[in-house]
């Protein structure tokens, strides 16, 4: 079952009844009230925009709307609870059936799994990008790994963040939420995989659905996180066998590029013919040797394989 840490939906203007209009900022243009806006960051992020010109309501919220159930994340099993918890703020009342038919225009598909070595996992992923021309990768100072497809069109741009969820929840901005909801240890040992999908076209493709109404999105049987990782990350086998001559030659190649896989790929691209040559196939045996050199410490290739299996569940 798919889970999400953020949803943004668009629904007809009569899908919401305001109970505290004074809490909303009035947006006036040319003397005309064109929209009402409500935003909050705590205890969960919420943005409500009632657009009178378009006759629609934009509702965006994060998984923390679930309070003590936040570790479950947003899913088809608790989506009504999400809207009910928003109603408890005293701002509005939703037409629940209309909200379930609303159009999802942006979302973060998210999943938490147990991982004993998140640092080793992200380090492995950074050094095993399948194609550096196709994917951009950054390992941030805080340990977060950010992986994005290198495209110029925003409506097909995907971005995945992999990070230590327990570490993130210990930040000062999250401490009150953790204590108030009695979930101090709920994320211990959890690695978060979060895939941003910021257009309806991308949502349809990634979730393999024909329309992006909320029911269809929540009921999708696709696994976009695994699909993205399989294309972006080259997964080396746990056991590798090379002749000593191959090992010697590939070691020299690696040394020439300072064991920097991105530098190596750039070097190989400059040598290979522009047509008919597969950069992935050419890099594969060198990557496999790279994994045997214990530059990453523990055999994180095996860890990564186990992670993929856990993400399938």
């Amino acid at each position: 079952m798919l889970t999400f840490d953020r949803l943004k939906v668009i629904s007809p203007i009569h899908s919401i009844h305001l109970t505290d209009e004074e809490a909303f900022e009035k947006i006036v243009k040319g003397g005309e009230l064109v929209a009402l806006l409500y935003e909050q960051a705590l205890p969960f992020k919420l943005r409500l925009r009632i657009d009178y010109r378009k006759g629609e309501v934009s509702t965006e919220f994060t998984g923390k709307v679930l309070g003590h159930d936040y570790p479950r994340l947003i899913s088809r099993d608790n989506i009504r609870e999400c809207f009910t918890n928003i109603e408890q703020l005293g701002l509005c009342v939703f037409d629940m059936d209309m909200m379930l038919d609303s159009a999802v225009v942006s979302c973060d598909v998210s999943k938490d799994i147990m991982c004993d070595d998140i640092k080793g996992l992200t380090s492995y992923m950074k050094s095993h990008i399948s194609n550096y021309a196709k994917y951009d990768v950054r390992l941030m100072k805080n340990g977060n790994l950010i992986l994005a497809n290198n495209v110029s069109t925003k409506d097909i741009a995907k971005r995945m963040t992999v990070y230590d969820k327990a570490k993130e929840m210990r930040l000062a901005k999250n401490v009150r939420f953790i204590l108030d909801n009695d979930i101090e240890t709920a994320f211990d040992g959890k690695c978060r995989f979060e895939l941003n999908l910021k257009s309806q076209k991308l949502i349809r493709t990634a979730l393999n659905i024909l329309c992006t109404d909320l029911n269809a999105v929540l009921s999708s049987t696709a696994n976009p996180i695994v699909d993205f990782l399989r294309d972006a990350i080259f997964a080396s086998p746990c056991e590798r066998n090379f002749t000593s001559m191959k090992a010697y030659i590939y070691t020299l190649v690696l040394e020439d590029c300072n064991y920097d896989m991105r530098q190596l790929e750039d070097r190989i691209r400059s040598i290979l013919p522009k047509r008919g040559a597969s950069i992935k196939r050419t890099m594969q045996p060198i990557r496999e040797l790279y994994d045997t050199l214990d530059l990453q410490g523990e055999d994180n290739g095996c860890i990564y394989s186990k992670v993929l299996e856990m993400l399938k569940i």
Side-chain angles (χ1 to χ4, degrees):
M1 179 173 63
L2 283 181
T3 50
F4 303 80
D5 198 19
R6 183 185 62 85
L7 287 172
K8 180 179 180 180
V9 300
I10 302 294
S11 58
I13 199 164
H14 47 281
S15 63
I16 188 173
H17 170 68
L18 299 185
T19 53
D20 184 6
E21 188 172 328
E22 294 303 314
F24 289 75
E25 174 191 352
K26 294 179 174 60
I27 300 175
V28 178
K29 293 184 179 180
E32 176 191 2
L33 177 65
V34 296
L36 294 175
L37 177 65
Y38 176 85
E39 291 183 286
Q40 69 172 42
L42 299 172
F44 60 91
K45 289 184 179 179
L46 173 65
R47 187 177 191 273
L48 290 168
R49 180 183 169 92
I50 294 88
D51 192 316
Y52 292 112
R53 286 182 173 177
K54 293 182 179 180
E56 65 183 28
V57 179
S58 170
T59 307
E60 183 174 7
F61 56 93
T62 58
K64 288 178 183 175
V65 68
L66 291 164
H68 68 275
D69 284 333
Y70 176 46
R72 294 169 54 200
L73 293 171
I74 302 166
S75 71
R76 64 171 182 249
D77 290 343
N78 58 31
I79 187 62
R80 288 177 179 269
E81 181 183 343
C82 294
F83 289 119
T84 298
N85 288 353
I86 294 173
E87 289 179 339
Q88 290 177 354
L89 295 175
L91 301 167
C92 63
V93 175
F94 294 108
D95 181 313
M96 201 65 70
D97 290 335
M98 294 187 72
M99 295 308 296
L100 293 177
D101 286 333
S102 59
V104 181
V105 296
S106 179
C107 63
D108 293 343
V109 183
S110 305
K111 189 171 181 64
D112 294 334
I113 64 167
M114 297 300 299
C115 182
D116 294 332
D117 186 7
I118 298 174
K119 182 178 180 181
L121 173 64
T122 54
S123 179
Y124 174 87
M125 293 172 66
K126 180 179 183 293
S127 63
H128 286 74
I129 302 302
S130 61
N131 188 327
Y132 284 100
K134 186 176 179 181
Y135 290 97
D136 291 325
V137 61
R138 288 181 293 159
L139 189 56
M140 311 300 287
K141 290 182 179 180
N142 62 4
N144 292 5
L145 180 79
I146 298 176
L147 180 60
N149 59 338
N150 190 8
V151 294
S152 57
T153 307
K154 290 184 178 180
D155 64 355
I156 59 172
K158 299 180 186 178
R159 190 182 81 155
M160 177 177 285
T161 307
V162 182
Y163 60 98
D164 186 330
K165 185 61 180 177
K167 180 180 177 181
E168 190 257 350
M169 293 305 290
R170 287 193 295 268
L171 296 177
K173 65 179 181 180
N174 293 319
V175 171
R176 175 50 54 192
F177 179 83
I178 287 286
L179 295 175
D180 287 348
N181 291 286
D182 195 25
I183 52 174
E184 291 93 333
T185 62
F187 295 99
D188 287 357
K190 295 288 184 70
C191 180
R192 166 68 58 90
F193 288 77
E194 192 166 278
L195 180 64
N196 309 131
L197 304 175
K198 294 190 175 182
S199 75
Q200 289 180 284
K201 178 179 180 180
L202 197 54
I203 293 169
R204 286 194 299 270
T205 302
L207 303 189
N208 193 26
I209 53 179
L210 297 177
C211 66
T212 66
D213 66 73
L214 186 53
N215 273 313
V217 168
L218 296 175
S219 300
S220 170
T221 57
N223 197 326
I225 290 177
V226 171
D227 293 341
F228 184 79
L229 288 174
R230 280 179 170 167
D231 190 60
I233 306 297
F234 170 84
S236 300
C238 296
E239 296 182 2
R240 310 159 187 90
N241 294 292
F242 290 102
T243 66
S244 59
M245 179 56 78
K246 282 186 178 180
Y248 176 66
I249 293 172
Y250 293 149
T251 299
L252 292 178
V253 171
L254 285 166
E255 287 179 353
D256 186 53
C257 293
N258 302 308
Y259 296 94
D260 185 321
M261 298 306 290
R262 183 158 196 162
Q263 182 179 339
L264 174 61
E265 182 175 314
D266 290 341
R267 183 72 57 82
I268 291 177
R269 284 183 183 280
S270 69
I271 298 171
L272 287 178
K274 294 186 180 297
R275 295 183 180 179
S278 169
I279 186 67
K280 184 176 181 178
R281 189 165 55 249
T282 303
M283 291 279 292
Q284 179 172 340
I286 307 176
R287 289 184 186 277
E288 291 176 347
L289 173 67
Y290 177 84
D291 289 335
T292 69
L293 300 178
D294 198 30
L295 298 174
Q296 305 298 318
E298 185 181 350
D299 190 351
N300 292 308
C302 292
I303 293 176
Y304 177 70
S305 297
K306 292 175 183 177
V307 163
L308 285 181
E309 290 302 314
M310 287 187 282
L311 287 168
K312 293 178 186 176
I313 299 173

